[in-house]
Amino acid sequence: MARYFFDSSVRDELIKDDEGIECDGIEEACREGMDGLRDLALEFFKDPDGQQLAIYVRDEAGERLLSLSITLQGS
Amino acid sequence: MAQVPSSNILIRKLQTISELAEPDIAILGNARIEEKQYQANADILRDGDQPTLSFVVLDGMIGSTKMTGDGKRQITSFFVPGDIPDLHGLHLSVMDCTFTALMPSRVGFMRHDALRSICDQHPSITTVFWRSTLVDAAIYREWVTNVGRRDAYTRMAHILCELIVRLRAVGRIEDHVARLPITQAALGDALGLSTVHVNRVLQDLRRDGLISTVGSHFHATDWSGLVRAGDFDGMYLHQRAADVLRQ
């Protein structure tokens, strides 16, 4: 198990995760990140302004391991 | 040091939702309660069990939980000190959910035959117990609404308001600071949210000045703001001191 950190970005505003989640490898971290991106997208469906929503997964050393993103287009 | 009887917190909780006459307080005060300590994540009762006891929460917090076929957990309600999460077990012999300690917790077991005998002899206590299970059902209704229809931010604010009001009512917290050493994963299971999003929403609430957290202490720094953000009206808790909800 290792601790992964999930920063989220909406309209270029990054919210850093300083708590992290224990995951059993990068695949589980990716699943957690995707679940987080789904919840984030749900919040912004009412305002689909073409902005990109993203979750960036870091390891404890601060290295970015994954970039997960989705764009909500309203037109 | 004098030992505080474990029935005290039970009586206090029942008094938050009903008037208890002196003789009933004495009967409940003499009820035999066997205490047991549980670690976080330990199951107290499991789906399918046929218990001969019911338990009152003395310290900590218990969750009623259900699992989906593919192994996802939903926490369907929280239970705080004074609550009797499985009082319905007196009448529904097979447990249809699991009760899990969400933090280190102490509970007190009461035998069903003893509870039945109290209820047979004291109809006013039966009424109070009935009311207690009805309030539990009202809380479940609110949770279905919360998880099914409110957005993540409102959901989180709502559950924090509920916990603070319930813990205050039984004197476990003062002001608006609650020690809640529950994991973000457990909060996610209670709110139907991913752990990643629970973390983000808590940060949003902090950024908006509604809560501050130090370790596992949650402080509602702007109570009326949190109540508004959580779409929270504590009427469904059916507490006698309705002013508690608006302080």
Side-chain angles (χ1 to χ4, degrees), chain B residues 31-32 52 90 110-119 121:
Chain B
R32 197 179 156 77
T52 56
L90 209 49
M110 297 173 289
R111 294 174 57 98
H112 280 172
D113 51 7
L115 285 170
R116 274 196 197 95
S117 144
I118 288 176
C119 289
Q121 290 167 47

Side-chain angles (χ1 to χ4, degrees), chain B residues 13 17 28 43 157 193:
Chain B
K13 166 359 202 306
I17 55 165
L28 290 167
D43 291 339
L193 295 174

